[in-house]
Amino acid sequence: MPITVDIDVMLAKRKMSVGELADRVGITPANLAVLKNGRAKAVRFTTLAALCEVLECQPGDLLRWETENGAGG
């Protein structure tokens, strides 16, 4: 999939666990894992906004587009 999810990068920068992020965002750790592992087919804007608020970042810090061969846009 050409959209890469960089939640792990932001978690490391914020020294936060997946469980803590899930609790603060209000989603289950399982749903957060689906999103962070790139298996999600969609993400609600409300969830994206909550992630950005908790991680103090912009949507582009969490999601990026790559071409099929792996080169960024």
Side-chain angles (χ1 to χ4, degrees):
M1 176 184 243
I3 300 296
T4 300
V5 181
D6 289 326
I7 290 175
D8 284 338
V9 173
M10 294 308 297
L11 284 171
K13 286 182 179 179
R14 302 296 186 254
K15 297 183 171 114
M16 188 180 298
S17 70
V18 171
E20 180 183 353
L21 180 59
D23 285 344
R24 291 179 62 185
V25 169
I27 61 176
T28 67
N31 283 341
L32 182 56
V34 167
L35 179 59
K36 82 177 193 69
N37 293 326
R39 295 189 318 261
K41 299 297 180 198
V43 60
R44 293 179 187 268
F45 280 172
T46 54
T47 302
L48 183 58
L51 287 166
C52 290
E53 182 177 352
V54 170
L55 293 170
E56 299 177 350
C57 66
Q58 294 294 315
D61 296 326
L62 301 177
L63 304 172
R64 64 188 155 87
W65 177 81
E66 293 184 346
T67 60
E68 290 297 326
N69 64 10

